[in-house]
Amino acid sequence: MGPTCSFSFFSLSVPSGTATSSVFSPPLITTNIKGTMADDHSSSMAGRNVDAAHSTNVLDIYPLNHYYFASKEALPFKEETLTQRIERLKLNYNTHGLRTCVQAVLLVELSKHPHLLLLQVRNSMLKLPGGRVRPGESEIECLRRKLSSNLSAREDDSWEVGECLGMWWRPNFETVIYPFMPPDIKWPKECTKVFLVRLPESRKFIVPKNLKLLAVPLCEVHDNFKTYGRIIAGVPQLLSKFSYNTPDTD
């Protein structure tokens, strides 16, 4: 049974809502230290280091109505059965080795809560934006290429790709995927890396006609792998070290 959440997902094809500001921050622990000048200097430097570390763990997310949405020509999809897909994956593995995929975590604010942007394929399957890394292509280059293909009008290298949040492994060509490498597996078939992508205050999203862009509350996807799959359901936990801030942009 999935988690209980009072929010439903929001289709971004018709954005609406009013701008709001909210701050979700963990409590800060402060201590009073008395000592020599050297002690005061050391504690001051330590405080700066803590502040710097904390600032990197704050995600600025902007209201949904700061973004604009339009459509473009549909993307071609492979029409194949599950058996055909597995055979294709086996052939590619024999040719190129381990299949590496990259996916993007993009967040917006709606109703004072962080929402995750997901792509819906054929009105059914939901996925994070991203795809397979080509031979000789870097992971960052691939993710920017895929984001441009799925969410921009043209090739766009302005996507701010940040840290890798987590890695998932597929031991075989079947659908089971793990957030760790099973100890008895020496030759995994696929590795999927999930990256944080920070959105600017405003951006225009251009989505292919055969895809839908959805904003889904983090509380809706948390541990809800039956609906969203194991990778998407694990995203809230990957983001647990961050606090969320909606800057005052008025």
Side-chain angles (χ1 to χ4, degrees), residues 19-58:
T20 58
S21 297
S22 58
V23 179
F24 300 87
S25 301
L28 297 178
I29 301 175
T30 60
T31 53
N32 294 324
I33 302 176
K34 296 181 181 180
T36 64
M37 184 178 296
D39 293 335
D40 292 341
H41 176 72
S42 298
S43 61
S44 176
M45 293 300 295
R48 291 177 185 177
N49 292 335
V50 169
D51 289 341
H54 176 69
S55 65
T56 62
N57 290 341
V58 175

Side-chain angles (χ1 to χ4, degrees), residues 9 14 21 47 55 60 79 127 152 169 188:
F9 60 74
V14 187
S21 297
S55 65
D60 289 338
E79 298 292 341
K127 66 174 188 175
S152 293
W169 300 88

Side-chain angles (χ1 to χ4, degrees), residues 30-237:
T30 60
T31 53
N32 294 324
I33 302 176
K34 296 181 181 180
T36 64
M37 184 178 296
D39 293 335
D40 292 341
H41 176 72
S42 298
S43 61
S44 176
M45 293 300 295
R48 291 177 185 177
N49 292 335
V50 169
D51 289 341
H54 176 69
S55 65
T56 62
N57 290 341
V58 175
L59 285 179
D60 289 338
I61 56 175
Y62 298 93
L64 178 66
N65 64 356
H66 280 216
Y67 301 97
Y68 305 90
F69 306 91
S71 62
K72 61 180 180 179
E73 291 300 317
L75 288 176
F77 288 135
K78 291 183 176 68
E79 298 292 341
E80 58 184 359
T81 64
L82 178 60
T83 301
Q84 290 172 332
R85 182 178 185 276
I86 291 177
E87 289 301 318
R88 175 171 60 83
L89 293 176
K90 289 181 178 180
L91 178 62
N92 288 339
Y93 179 81
N94 292 333
T95 304
H96 303 293
L98 177 70
R99 172 186 172 95
T100 301
C101 298
V102 290
Q103 297 183 359
V105 169
L106 304 103
L107 297 173
V108 297
E109 181 270 334
L110 180 63
S111 301
K112 298 183 180 181
H113 287 268
H115 282 56
L116 180 65
L117 296 187
L118 300 177
L119 287 170
Q120 187 178 43
V121 184
R122 296 190 178 96
N123 294 320
S124 57
M125 184 181 70
L126 293 164
K127 66 174 188 175
L128 295 169
R132 181 179 67 88
V133 179
R134 293 170 175 170
E137 183 180 38
S138 75
E139 295 165 354
I140 303 301
E141 290 172 343
C142 174
L143 191 53
R144 286 176 174 158
R145 172 175 61 83
K146 285 296 185 178
L147 288 171
S148 298
S149 174
N150 293 329
L151 301 175
S152 293
R154 61 186 66 85
E155 186 174 344
D156 183 0
D157 61 358
S158 68
W159 297 99
E160 187 181 342
V161 180
E163 65 186 272
C164 179
L165 297 173
M167 300 171 63
W168 293 73
W169 300 88
R170 198 182 301 276
N172 301 297
F173 295 107
E174 289 74 20
T175 57
V176 178
I177 195 166
Y178 298 92
F180 58 89
M181 174 74 79
D184 58 332
I185 300 298
K186 295 182 178 180
W187 307 103
K189 303 304 184 290
E190 180 178 307
C191 176
T192 296
K193 299 184 179 182
V194 178
F195 288 85
L196 175 66
V197 177
R198 296 174 184 261
L199 289 176
E201 179 181 342
S202 180
R203 172 181 281 276
K204 189 170 185 178
F205 292 97
I206 311 295
V207 184
K209 293 180 180 178
N210 54 344
L211 295 176
K212 288 183 180 179
L213 188 59
L214 307 177
V216 184
L218 285 183
C219 63
E220 167 68 21
V221 304
H222 172 59
D223 210 27
N224 191 358
F225 65 89
K226 290 185 178 179
T227 300
Y228 297 100
R230 296 188 179 276
I231 294 180
I232 295 175
V235 166
Q237 192 166 5

